[in-house]
């Protein structure tokens, strides 16, 4: 029997002011705002899926090149650039919360590893402070939409496709898109423009001057 047609997703990119509200609420409320801020910043910078962050281990950090190894659905894995600031936050988290090298990186203050329930708590709590978060059922996947939309608008479809970690080109993208693949350096360049920070792998002279707060999408929020 043919599969039923999948309904179009209601998720979309968040506007800058909505993103600011979300990150502000998360970082100033709850029982562990430092943890929640780290979760949000990681998703905004990497556009990873929830499982990518939950599977991250301290030994997956390439500190020198500011890269993290993301292991996501379908047993896929890839190196994803992060800003020097986020890398420093990740290292600090590991040191303060005792994350073992080959164990889950994200930890509560008690040392217990963070799981999916933290996401439920985070967005449920923020939804109590911001009604639009509750009504629209905002989740971490909305941050993925937000970042990838921004990357596509500024750096093009090929870079956005690679930034997303899509193993295959969507069938409706056209034949040419299968042959036009972005490099890791181009992804790092997009991350540099996104964060407003220099990245060791970014292409020199390829980061545009953006009309965004502090020259970045995340700069003013963390």
């Amino acid at each position: 029997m043919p599969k039923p047609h999948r309904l179009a997703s209601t998720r979309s990119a968040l506007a800058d002011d909505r993103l600011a509200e979300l990150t502000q609420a998360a970082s100033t409320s709850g029982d562990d705002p430092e943890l929640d801020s780290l979760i949000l910043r990681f998703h905004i910078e990497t556009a990873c899926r929830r499982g990518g962050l939950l599977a991250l281990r301290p030994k997956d950090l390439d500190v020198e090149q500011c890269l993290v190894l993301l292991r996501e659905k379908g047993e896929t894995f890839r190196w994803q650039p992060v800003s020097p600031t986020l890398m420093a936050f990740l290292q600090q988290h590991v040191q303060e919360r005792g994350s073992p090298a080959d164990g889950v990186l994200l930890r509560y203050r008690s040392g217990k590893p963070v799981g999916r329930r933290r996401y439920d708590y985070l967005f449920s709590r923020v939804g109590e402070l911001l009604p639009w978060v509750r009504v629209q059922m905002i989740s971490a996947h909305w941050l993925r939409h937000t970042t990838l939309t921004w990357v596509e608008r500024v750096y093009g479809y090929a870079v956005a496709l690679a930034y997303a970690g899509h193993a295959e080109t969507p069938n409706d993208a056209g034949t040419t898109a299968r042959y036009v693949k972005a490099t890791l350096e181009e992804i790092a360049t997009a991350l540099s423009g996104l964060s407003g920070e220099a990245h060791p792998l970014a292409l020199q002279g390829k980061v545009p001057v953006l009309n965004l707060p502090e020259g970045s999408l995340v700069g003013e929020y963390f």
Side-chain angles (χ1 to χ4, degrees):
M1 295 180 63
K3 292 183 179 180
H5 181 70
R6 176 179 289 183
L7 297 176
S9 172
T10 60
R11 300 188 189 103
S12 62
L14 297 175
D16 287 356
D17 58 343
R18 291 300 197 190
L19 185 61
E21 286 183 53
L22 176 63
T23 55
Q24 175 70 13
S27 63
T28 56
S29 64
D31 59 1
D32 197 342
E34 293 86 0
L35 172 62
D36 293 336
S37 293
L38 180 60
I39 290 173
L40 292 184
R41 175 148 188 163
F42 193 92
H43 280 285
I44 292 171
E45 283 202 18
T46 67
C48 75
R49 301 172 180 87
R50 182 172 59 177
L53 177 53
L54 292 178
L56 189 69
R57 305 163 299 183
K59 69 178 184 180
D60 294 330
L61 306 182
D62 182 337
V63 177
E64 182 180 359
Q65 297 188 93
C66 285
L67 297 172
V68 296
L69 182 62
L70 295 178
R71 292 169 289 128
E72 297 184 308
K73 67 178 184 179
E75 298 183 351
T76 61
F77 60 91
R78 71 183 189 279
W79 287 104
Q80 187 78 10
V82 297
S83 70
T85 294
L86 178 54
M87 181 59 75
F89 286 159
L90 291 170
Q91 289 180 280
Q92 181 179 350
H93 184 90
V94 169
Q95 294 173 358
E96 293 181 348
R97 308 206 175 188
S99 309
D102 59 350
V104 174
L105 186 149
L106 281 187
R107 301 271 164 168
Y108 293 102
R109 291 192 180 96
S110 65
K112 179 182 177 181
V114 171
R116 294 177 180 272
R117 293 184 62 181
R118 186 66 193 185
Y119 285 81
D120 297 335
Y121 165 76
L122 168 58
F123 287 97
S124 175
R125 185 187 84 240
V126 173
E128 295 177 358
L129 301 173
L130 303 173
W132 63 269
V133 171
R134 181 185 68 255
V135 172
Q136 292 185 259
M137 295 184 288
I138 302 298
S139 65
H141 212 69
W142 286 69
L143 303 179
R144 179 171 166 84
H145 278 260
T146 301
T147 298
L148 294 178
T149 297
W150 184 88
V151 171
E152 190 277 331
R153 298 293 190 271
V154 179
Y155 291 92
Y157 183 80
V159 177
L161 191 69
Y163 206 109
H166 286 150
E168 299 179 355
T169 305
N171 292 331
D172 60 354
T175 303
T176 304
R178 298 179 182 274
Y179 299 94
V180 184
K181 296 182 179 180
T183 64
L184 181 60
E185 289 75 17
E186 288 175 304
I187 298 172
T189 303
L191 181 277
S192 188
L194 180 81
S195 65
E197 297 183 41
H199 190 280
L201 300 182
L203 299 171
Q204 298 298 317
K206 297 296 184 179
V207 180
V209 177
L210 306 175
N211 294 319
L212 292 172
E214 301 298 326
S216 72
L217 185 62
V218 300
E220 74 166 358
Y221 306 139
F222 298 90

